[in-house]
């Protein structure tokens, strides 16, 4: 054996190093394992993950790591909301055929996301599905240190969220809505005000309860006695007349105002203990739903005394005398029937924040009082609208 050793290549390691090589290797392996476990411990699965799914994961800096196994794919991109990835993010594949990407630090709150695999849009198999972007879509939840206001807290009483079906003669179809009733509604004989709350484009009646967590927001406010108890009705803003053509996008929502006034409100008033006067009824919505609110509610002071529009932009040409059917032309007449006109937007919504603030300033100049709320650091996404509802609700039905 000694002869064989002498015939081998000279060692480049000193004798002292060779003697301690095994302990060094063991220490290196142990250190690597500790570093890996420490890094892993600093990440958490998204709250939206399906049971047993490790990814997506939220990292300590609020970046998000996603994975997708697609060994035959040639190119995979991560896409989603502005607060998560402002533009498609290219993923990399490991030897096992698993693609991975880590986003920049994301804004807090809920974000839609999906993969584009060789040109085909694919949902993340690790998460639940949320209706958004016109289809069931993956979603990830980035924690917010100030997010207790929309958390499902064990220390507060909780209301109920019920599904209600009704037939629309106007559209010729069955429709459904979700109704939030506050804690104690089942045992309290009192009648309640109602907020009709609309989603945005590509979403539906599920959105405010699932992505927006409207019921939990109300539960926390009521527990703190920061808001009056009221019902929330969440219906689909999509309602088309029977003769509507699918390729005509405007026709997809054309019947909603009539459905709301002639079918939904009477249905809710007949099914629930409501206070069925305009002074006890509000309408609010986000993005598309905010535009619907501004096009419907000001025209119907006999139905709504409280009006709220969130992230409704694209109206840089807003004129009180002519916009929204001239509903704001007569400041005195509008003020007579209105108790609150509420506007909001996120500071990182491109163009929208500016246009909403411009509308607020124009209304003020025209002698019409409005309230403007600015959500710091949030985009055209659900954290802006969660914060807006949290800010809006305490201002409703105070008179």
């Amino acid at each position: 054996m000694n002869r064989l050793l002498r015939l081998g290549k000279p060692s480049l390691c000193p004798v002292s190093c060779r003697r301690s090589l095994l302990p060094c290797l063991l220490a290196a392996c142990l250190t690597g394992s500790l570093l890996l476990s420490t890094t892993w411990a600093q990440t958490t699965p998204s709250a939206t993950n399906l049971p047993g799914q490790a990814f997506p994961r939220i990292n300590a800096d609020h970046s998000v790591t996603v994975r997708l196994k697609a060994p035959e794919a040639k190119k995979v991109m991560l896409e989603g909301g502005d607060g998560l990835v402002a533009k498609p993010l290219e993923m990399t594949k490991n030897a096992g055929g698993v693609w991975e990407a880590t986003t920049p630090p994301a804004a807090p709150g809920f974000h839609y996301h999906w993969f584009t695999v060789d040109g085909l849009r694919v949902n993340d198999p690790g998460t639940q599905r949320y209706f958004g972007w016109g289809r069931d879509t993956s979603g990830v939840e980035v924690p917010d240190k100030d997010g207790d206001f929309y958390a499902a807290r064990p220390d507060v009483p909780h209301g109920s969220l019920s599904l209600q079906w009704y037939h629309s003669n106007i559209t010729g179809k069955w429709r459904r809505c979700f109704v939030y009733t506050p804690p104690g509604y089942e045992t309290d004989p009192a009648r309640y005000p109602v907020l009709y709350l609309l989603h945005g484009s590509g979403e539906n009646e599920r959105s405010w309860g699932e992505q927006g967590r409207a019921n939990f927001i109300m539960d926390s406010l009521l527990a703190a006695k920061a808001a009056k108890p009221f019902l929330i009705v969440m219906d689909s803003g999509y309602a088309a007349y029977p003769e509507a053509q699918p390729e005509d996008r405007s026709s997809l929502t054309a019947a909603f105002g009539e459905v709301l006034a002639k079918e939904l409100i009477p249905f809710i008033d007949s099914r629930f203990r409501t206070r069925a006067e305009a002074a006890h009824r509000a309408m609010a919505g986000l993005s598309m739903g905010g535009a619907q609110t501004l096009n419907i509610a000001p025209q119907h002071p006999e139905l709504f005394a409280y009006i709220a529009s969130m992230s409704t932009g694209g109206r840089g040409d807003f004129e009180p005398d002519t916009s929204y059917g001239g509903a704001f032309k007569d400041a005195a007449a509008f003020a007579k029937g209105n108790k609150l006109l509420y506007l909001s937007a996120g500071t990182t919504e491109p163009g929208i924040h500016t246009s909403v603030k411009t509308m607020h300033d124009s209304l003020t100049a025209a002698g019409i009082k409005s309230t403007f709320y600015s959500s710091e650091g949030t985009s055209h996404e659900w954290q802006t609208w969660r914060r807006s509802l949290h800010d809006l609700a305490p201002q409703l039905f105070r008179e």
Side-chain angles (χ1 to χ4, degrees):
M1 178 178 288
N2 290 338
R3 184 170 180 271
L4 290 175
L5 284 173
R6 285 196 298 272
L7 291 174
K9 292 183 178 180
S11 172
L12 297 179
C13 295
V15 173
S16 60
C17 179
R18 293 201 303 271
R19 289 173 180 171
S20 59
L21 185 58
L22 182 58
C24 288
L25 289 172
L26 290 173
C29 290
L30 180 60
T31 302
S33 298
L34 287 173
L35 286 172
L36 181 61
S37 62
T38 299
T39 302
W40 187 262
Q42 291 174 342
T43 72
T44 57
S46 169
T48 61
N49 286 11
L50 292 168
Q53 295 297 313
F55 288 85
R57 296 191 75 83
I58 313 302
N59 303 311
D61 63 352
H62 283 186
S63 62
V64 178
T65 298
V66 297
R67 286 183 179 176
L68 178 70
K69 187 168 185 178
E72 303 301 320
K74 301 294 187 286
K75 185 177 183 180
V76 179
M77 307 292 288
L78 170 66
E79 299 187 55
D82 288 343
L84 183 68
V85 281
K87 59 183 180 180
L89 182 64
E90 189 164 355
M91 301 176 67
T92 57
K93 182 170 66 171
N94 66 20
V98 175
W99 296 79
E100 181 175 305
T102 296
T103 71
F110 177 88
H111 306 279
Y112 296 111
H113 74 287
W114 60 89
F115 304 118
T116 302
V117 182
D118 294 336
L120 178 67
R121 177 169 167 164
V122 176
N123 278 329
D124 188 332
T127 77
Q128 300 180 57
R129 305 288 180 266
Y130 302 85
F131 195 78
W133 294 76
R135 67 188 76 187
D136 282 338
T137 304
S138 315
V140 64
E141 183 76 38
V142 177
D144 187 340
K145 63 181 178 60
D146 300 316
D148 276 356
F149 73 88
Y150 57 85
R153 295 169 51 191
D155 59 332
V156 302
H158 291 281
S160 299
L161 200 58
S162 64
L163 176 61
Q164 304 291 324
W165 287 89
Y166 65 100
H167 186 266
S168 168
N169 292 322
I170 294 169
T171 65
K173 296 180 179 180
W174 281 92
R175 293 175 59 85
R176 67 178 190 175
C177 63
F178 287 89
V179 180
Y180 169 80
T181 51
Y185 173 85
E186 291 80 3
T187 57
D188 183 355
R191 292 188 172 273
Y192 292 81
V194 185
L195 166 63
Y196 288 84
L197 186 60
L198 294 178
H199 57 83
S201 176
E203 296 169 333
N204 68 8
E205 65 277 4
R206 290 167 41 195
S207 301
W208 266 109
E210 295 181 2
Q211 295 96 298
R213 304 176 75 83
N215 52 319
F216 296 133
I217 292 172
M218 283 304 303
D219 290 340
S220 292
L221 287 171
L222 292 172
K225 301 187 183 306
K228 296 284 188 181
F230 54 85
L231 310 186
I232 304 179
V233 177
M234 294 157 277
D235 202 339
S236 172
Y238 291 99
Y241 292 109
E243 66 275 11
Q245 299 300 313
E247 60 271 15
D248 179 7
R249 291 180 60 84
S250 64
S251 72
L252 302 180
T253 58
F256 180 73
E258 189 175 357
V259 169
L260 175 66
K262 296 181 179 179
E263 294 180 328
L264 180 58
I265 290 176
F267 171 75
I268 295 298
D269 286 344
S270 69
R271 185 66 63 94
F272 294 88
R273 296 191 314 277
T274 66
R275 300 187 69 176
E277 306 86 23
H280 306 292
R281 194 180 291 124
M283 184 175 180
L286 67 92
S287 194
M288 180 188 84
Q292 289 176 297
T293 297
L294 291 173
N295 278 303
I296 295 170
Q299 307 287 350
H300 291 282
E302 79 283 3
L303 293 178
F304 303 102
Y306 296 84
I307 301 170
S309 175
M310 309 170 190
S311 300
T312 301
R315 296 301 295 265
D317 58 345
F318 173 80
E319 291 290 342
D321 287 353
T322 57
S323 297
Y324 299 109
F328 305 107
K329 182 176 183 179
D330 188 334
F334 178 79
K336 185 177 180 180
N338 181 258
K339 294 181 179 294
L340 176 68
L341 176 57
Y342 179 95
L343 307 171
S344 70
T347 60
T348 58
E349 297 188 71
I352 294 177
H353 187 273
T354 299
S355 66
V356 175
K357 181 63 166 60
T358 297
M359 179 178 176
H360 167 69
D361 293 341
S362 298
L363 288 167
T364 300
I368 295 176
K369 182 180 179 181
S370 65
T371 297
F372 176 65
Y373 169 72
S374 184
S375 175
E376 185 63 37
T378 57
S379 301
H380 200 69
E381 293 186 300
W382 277 99
Q383 201 69 351
T384 295
W385 308 319
R386 288 171 174 175
R387 290 179 180 177
S388 295
L389 179 59
H390 183 255
D391 183 67
L392 167 67
Q395 301 180 54
L396 297 176
F397 313 121
R398 284 296 183 181
E399 296 182 19

